[in-house]
Amino acid sequence: MTKPSRLLASALPAVFCLFPLGALADEWTGQDKQLHFAVSAVLGIAAYSHTHDRAQAFGWAMVPGILKEVIDSQQDGNDFSGKDLAWDALGALAGAQVGHWAIGQNRVNWVKEF
């Protein structure tokens, strides 16, 4: 099993265990979830451009989302959302993969064919 596959295999069960914490608090879709996905995807691409490692990029892209949920859980009337975290994870994974496809070891991979 490759390193990114091992990371995904170990990280996703932990994320799914958090779902019951916010099961009734919010919906799976909506503007909020799109924002979680988009921000995490951009962070995944940016992290990959610095690390050139999908597993590390995924981890770094998840940090802001996790911190946001922890901060949210400390505020009155606001709960930790496993659904938000799931969208963060999907975005971070997508961003790290897109970064891997678009960015080479030392440069951006652009192929121009005529």
Side-chain angles (χ1 to χ4, degrees), residues 7-49:
L7 173 73
L8 185 60
S10 63
L12 283 181
V15 171
F16 288 124
C17 289
L18 297 173
F19 287 159
L21 294 174
L24 301 175
D26 60 349
E27 298 295 323
W28 276 103
T29 59
Q31 184 76 16
D32 178 47
K33 305 310 184 257
Q34 293 172 5
L35 190 58
H36 279 275
F37 180 87
V39 169
S40 294
V42 169
L43 291 172
I45 293 169
Y48 186 84
S49 73

Side-chain angles (χ1 to χ4, degrees), residues 44-45 48-49 52-54 94-104 109:
I45 293 169
Y48 186 84
S49 73
H52 296 287
D53 182 273
R54 285 178 284 186
Q97 186 61 46
V98 167
H100 175 70
W101 287 333
I103 302 170
N109 290 324

Side-chain angles (χ1 to χ4, degrees), residues 61-96:
M62 285 297 295
V63 169
I66 293 168
L67 290 175
K68 183 203 177 289
E69 293 308 316
V70 169
I71 291 168
D72 283 352
S73 70
Q74 302 303 310
Q75 298 173 351
D76 289 337
N78 210 347
D79 294 324
F80 186 97
S81 173
K83 294 174 185 176
D84 286 352
L85 202 57
W87 281 105
D88 288 336
L90 288 173
L93 186 63

